[in-house]
Amino acid sequence: MQLRFGTNLTSEEYIRQQAWQEAMLERCPLHPEGGCGVRSHGSYGRKVPAGLRIARFYCRLGQTTISLLPDFAAAWLSGTLGEVERVVEHAEQAPALASAARDLRPELIDERSAVRWLRRLMRAVQSALTALVTSLPELFGTAPRIAALRERLGIKGAGRGVLTRLRALGERMVPHLRAPLGFLRPLRARSDDEPDRQHREGPDPGGGHR
Ligand SMILES: [Zn+2]
């Protein structure tokens, strides 16, 4: 399972400082009463960004690996929330999803796969943003879009910071929000014609070890 590692560090700072070594797990999320033998279990590396490592813990009683994901990191996806944010904002401002997909994934010869990729990402992020703006009083009335949320949060400068800030602000909801903002496993790619699915809240269905 994944937990938040609250940090204001950027990915560059986190990597330079090897900050995963300082990630602490105060109590086991499965056994907050303690006594389960949870302990450090090293770290694992991500390919992107290069050099990024994620601290890991292991609960012996629950036979569960627990990863501490720094706030800037996308969940269930390589890369950072800042990169996700730039993609989503570009798509929000583009005249059509297809043109945004062409801009963002020019290497994909098959435009349909670029559109599918972008549509999946947009749905996942929009479902998380919608849940946040309808649940957090400080965001009530804000459109579930990057630009509107940036303004509401008073973040200066486009292209960074909104999703990372929401990870912290919506901390209690994050386990129930769809990845890459939240920790819920991405929906499997099904048919493109599938109508938009309602966001469902609930415990992480992945639950166990990975
Ligand atoms: Zn435990």
Side-chain angles (χ1 to χ4, degrees):
M1 68 187 298
Q2 305 190 77
L3 292 184
R4 222 191 118 221
F5 175 25
T7 174
N8 291 321
L9 297 178
T10 63
S11 59
E12 294 83 3
E13 292 164 343
Y14 174 97
I15 292 167
R16 193 166 52 239
Q17 298 176 20
Q18 304 194 349
W20 56 90
Q21 295 179 355
E22 280 132 50
M24 301 282 284
L25 188 62
E26 282 178 29
R27 60 183 73 83
C28 176
L30 303 175
H31 311 98
E33 71 283 4
C36 64
V38 69
R39 61 193 166 100
S40 173
H41 192 53
S43 62
Y44 69 92
R46 281 195 170 189
K47 285 190 179 138
V48 184
L52 174 59
R53 297 194 72 82
I54 309 290
R56 232 175 359 191
F57 293 79
Y58 184 70
C59 165
R60 216 167 25 184
L61 188 62
Q63 299 190 344
T64 297
T65 303
I66 301 153
S67 305
L68 257 57
L69 202 63
D71 280 344
F72 60 80
W76 295 101
L77 184 73
S78 66
T80 64
L81 284 179
E83 287 156 7
V84 171
E85 182 171 322
R86 281 189 287 275
V87 167
V88 171
E89 188 162 28
H90 184 90
E92 284 176 351
Q93 293 168 350
L97 200 66
S99 64
R102 270 196 305 272
D103 293 344
L104 293 162
R105 298 297 296 274
E107 81 283 9
L108 291 178
I109 307 298
D110 178 7
E111 185 182 301
R112 284 170 307 175
S113 50
V115 169
R116 263 197 303 275
W117 160 81
L118 185 56
R119 185 178 293 147
R120 266 202 300 276
L121 184 65
M122 293 296 288
R123 279 182 187 165
V125 172
Q126 283 167 349
S127 82
L129 295 182
T130 300
L132 288 168
V133 300
T134 53
S135 305
L136 297 179
E138 55 269 63
L139 298 180
F140 282 171
T142 313
R145 296 165 66 89
I146 300 293
L149 284 159
R150 175 177 300 116
E151 194 178 334
R152 180 66 172 257
L153 294 168
I155 294 174
K156 303 277 184 271
R160 57 175 296 174
V162 175
L163 296 183
T164 303
R165 180 82 68 83
L166 290 174
R167 187 61 83 61
L169 199 62
E171 171 167 35
R172 293 207 305 202
M173 295 175 65
V174 161
H176 313 297
L177 300 176
R178 191 65 60 196
L181 177 55
F183 295 156
L184 268 191
R185 207 183 272 263
L187 292 167
R188 280 198 159 273
R190 291 193 183 88
S191 154
D192 247 356
D193 308 321
E194 180 184 65
D196 278 336
R197 296 163 72 83
Q198 282 290 95
H199 169 73
R200 286 178 304 172
E201 293 206 5
D204 182 356
H209 36 146
R210 36 182 296 250

